[in-house]
Amino acid sequence: MKSDYANIVVIPMCSAMAPEENFKYLTQQLDTLRLTSPSLVCLPEAWLAFCANGLDSLSIAKRSDEWIEKIAQLCKAKGIWLSAGTMPISATGDKYFAASCLFDDSGKLVAQYNKIHLFDADVSDKAKRYRESEFTAAGDQVVVVDSPFGKLGLSVCYDMRFAGLYQVQREQGANILLIPSAFTTVTGQAHWLPLLQARAIETQSYVVAAAQVGQHKNGRETYGHSVIISPWGEVLDNSALSLEPIQRRLDLTELRSIRQAMPVLQHNRFKSNMI
């Protein structure tokens, strides 16, 4: 029987460009935490390597099997489930997937979600121009995974602007939405919390969004504000600009109560199978 509670840990990061440096940081953070079993640890987008360009990410993608093995061994040693933000994994041609990998406490890779919506946008910050699709291949599969914490819906950063993805995840049974991110400061100030709260409210799900934060060695600046949001849209935790991890026990009985009192899934007349 599954528990009515989910132990969640969010580790904000200001990731460097070198995978070895970021993996060491993660290991050190896990060493300082007191974790109850089972626990789900959540990392931001690009946690393993926040590269300066797509070619550097492509180079790391070619070694992704090595890093998957190292992450698996770490999960086994620590006895944790890990939502490993994103890391580059080779796709076809000269592109890679921005892959969000979920590991269980035995070290097994139980799911891989490849980011579907790619960030091709102009932003009024130092970078000015973002063209993620130049080196990243878009995924095409919705991923919802059964776990000791309930059903987890996997997505990444820019995905959060596309509500239809989360409607499908809710139809597939998701009750915790994992949205690792590396939001720009400009777009974060304008849209980060409203978007995440909307996704929580409309799907009546918990939202867990681990975020990159601060000034990075690759010249990027990220918004931070890792959050956990309730199915009612309440911000339960917000790390703001801190790198301090968040730990919270989510109550799934509250989620079920909200869904029973207002059964929006049953009321929805525009379900995905109608489109």
Side-chain angles (χ1 to χ4, degrees), residues 30-61:
L30 292 174
D31 286 343
T32 65
L33 293 170
R34 292 184 178 180
L35 301 174
T36 56
S37 184
S39 288
L40 173 63
V41 177
C42 301
L43 306 179
E45 182 181 22
W47 76 275
L48 183 63
F50 206 173
C51 296
N53 56 63
L55 287 175
D56 289 344
S57 295
L58 194 60
S59 176
I60 292 168

Side-chain angles (χ1 to χ4, degrees), residues 3-260:
S3 172
D4 286 329
Y5 298 93
N7 299 312
I8 305 294
V9 180
V10 178
I11 300 181
M13 294 182 67
C14 183
S15 290
M17 291 184 284
E20 293 80 6
E21 188 175 339
N22 298 317
F23 189 80
K24 181 180 178 181
Y25 179 83
L26 170 61
T27 303
Q28 291 171 339
Q29 289 295 301
L30 292 174
D31 286 343
T32 65
L33 293 170
R34 292 184 178 180
L35 301 174
T36 56
S37 184
S39 288
L40 173 63
V41 177
C42 301
L43 306 179
E45 182 181 22
W47 76 275
L48 183 63
F50 206 173
C51 296
N53 56 63
L55 287 175
D56 289 344
S57 295
L58 194 60
S59 176
I60 292 168
K62 294 175 181 178
R63 298 173 50 211
S64 60
D65 287 348
E66 298 174 30
W67 286 109
I68 287 172
E69 180 59 27
K70 288 182 180 181
I71 297 163
Q73 291 302 319
L74 181 63
C75 291
K76 185 176 181 180
K78 296 296 182 182
I80 60 168
W81 281 65
L82 182 69
S83 170
T86 65
M87 56 185 289
I89 292 180
S90 293
T92 56
D94 293 328
K95 290 193 175 185
Y96 59 87
F97 292 117
S100 185
C101 295
L102 181 69
F103 297 82
D104 69 12
D105 52 8
S106 72
K108 180 182 177 182
L109 175 60
V110 295
Q112 177 182 325
Y113 166 76
N114 300 322
K115 186 177 183 182
I116 292 175
H117 300 100
L118 303 181
F119 190 53
D120 289 356
D122 299 325
V123 178
S124 56
D125 63 4
K126 291 180 181 178
K128 303 295 185 187
R129 183 179 185 271
Y130 296 85
R131 293 295 182 269
E132 194 173 18
S133 65
E134 287 182 1
F135 290 95
T136 309
D140 59 6
Q141 298 293 318
V142 176
V143 177
V144 175
V145 188
D146 205 5
S147 78
F149 317 97
K151 288 200 172 183
L152 309 175
L154 307 189
S155 63
V156 176
C157 200
Y158 191 51
D159 282 330
M160 75 175 70
R161 293 183 181 271
F162 304 90
L165 170 60
Y166 301 94
Q167 292 294 331
V168 175
Q169 289 187 342
R170 171 66 201 277
E171 290 173 32
Q172 294 183 4
N175 47 32
I176 299 177
L177 308 179
L178 305 180
I179 314 180
S181 299
F183 243 59
T184 73
T185 298
V186 171
T187 56
Q189 290 171 344
H191 299 148
W192 174 252
L193 276 179
L195 284 169
L196 292 171
Q197 287 177 288
R199 300 297 83 87
I201 293 166
E202 68 199 9
T203 64
Q204 299 172 311
S205 301
Y206 284 103
V207 165
V208 179
Q212 292 283 353
V213 57
Q215 189 70 46
H216 300 263
K217 293 179 181 178
N218 65 2
R220 287 273 307 277
E221 184 178 359
T222 50
Y223 183 62
H225 295 77
S226 296
V227 290
I228 298 176
I229 300 173
S230 81
W232 196 245
E234 178 187 3
V235 179
L236 303 175
D237 296 283
N238 186 338
S239 69
L241 300 180
S242 171
L243 285 168
E244 196 69 27
I246 294 169
Q247 291 185 261
R248 179 166 286 269
R249 194 179 191 215
L250 305 185
D251 184 353
L252 299 181
T253 62
E254 178 185 353
L255 178 146
R256 289 193 289 269
S257 177
I258 289 170
R259 290 181 174 185
Q260 183 175 9

